[in-house]
């Protein structure tokens, strides 16, 4: 078992190598605009999971996934060559849902802001239903007699 710091360093290096290879050397026409977002390596340094996002539609995402699967061998051999580890880790590519989740949360926040602005606009000319200060106060007469 390797320590966690070594696994993190290897994961960072694998992320750099894969991103560079996708940008410069992999010429698959199915490969869309792919961004490598994260890489995680198991404690025994045998398996690496590469998280990626694809800018585009669902069809482009599926095409890019197929292109990454077909280029897996080339990428693994290059990772082994550039890292110098005894056993090159097997690569697994997984679509990263985080940007989609973040986009959905941004949409929800914007909708909430719009509703808050509508409520504030409606409340501009409103008056209190009762008195402006709804709290009871002790009578002033009682304070003077005490």
């Amino acid at each position: 078992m390797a320590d966690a710091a070594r696994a993190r360093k290897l994961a960072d290096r694998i992320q750099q190598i894969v991103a560079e290879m996708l940008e410069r050397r992999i010429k698959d026409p199915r490969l869309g605009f792919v961004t490598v977002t994260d890489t995680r390596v198991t404690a025994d340094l045998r398996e690496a999971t590469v998280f990626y996002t694809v800018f585009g539609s669902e069809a482009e995402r599926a095409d890019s996934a197929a292109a990454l699967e077909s280029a897996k061998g080339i990428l693994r051999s290059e990772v082994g060559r550039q890292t110098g580890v005894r056993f090159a880790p097997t690569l697994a590519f997984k679509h990263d849902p985080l940007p989609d989740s973040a986009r959905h949360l941004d949409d929800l926040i914007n909708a909430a802001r719009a509703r808050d602005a509508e409520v504030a606009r409606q409340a501009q000319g409103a008056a209190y239903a009762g008195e402006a200060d709804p709290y009871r106060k002790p009578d002033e007469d009682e304070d003077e007699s005490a």
Side-chain angles (χ1 to χ4, degrees):
M1 293 285 190
D3 63 350
R6 183 172 182 211
R8 271 195 312 275
K9 286 179 186 179
L10 183 62
D12 290 343
R13 184 66 184 133
I14 290 171
Q15 182 176 350
Q16 291 172 350
I17 293 168
V18 169
E20 182 180 310
M21 289 285 293
L22 291 177
E23 184 180 344
R24 296 200 176 123
R25 296 206 26 217
I26 305 298
K27 302 297 181 192
D28 195 330
R30 298 175 294 175
L31 195 62
F33 187 69
V34 176
T35 303
V36 178
T37 56
D38 192 20
T39 304
R40 295 190 184 138
V41 178
T42 58
D44 61 356
L45 307 179
R46 295 287 186 132
E47 298 173 9
T49 305
V50 179
F51 294 92
Y52 68 95
T53 60
V54 179
F55 183 74
S57 66
E58 235 1 90
E60 290 172 332
R61 186 178 298 159
D63 288 344
S64 294
L68 288 171
E69 284 299 315
S70 68
K72 190 184 289 190
I74 296 169
L75 293 170
R76 181 178 181 206
S77 65
E78 188 65 22
V79 164
R81 189 181 69 75
Q82 287 192 27
T83 57
V85 293
R86 177 179 284 181
F87 298 106
T90 59
L91 300 178
F93 291 96
K94 185 173 180 185
H95 181 262
D96 191 1
L98 185 65
D100 296 333
S101 300
R103 191 174 311 113
H104 179 67
L105 284 175
D106 283 343
D107 293 343
L108 292 174
I109 289 171
N110 289 336
R113 281 188 185 140
R115 285 193 302 268
D116 286 349
E118 178 64 24
V119 168
R121 186 187 62 76
Q122 289 176 352
Q124 273 181 335
Y128 289 106
E131 298 176 15
D133 188 8
Y135 299 105
R136 288 187 183 178
K137 295 193 171 63
D139 290 336
E140 294 177 10
D141 297 335
E142 293 175 12
D143 291 340
E144 292 174 6
S145 65

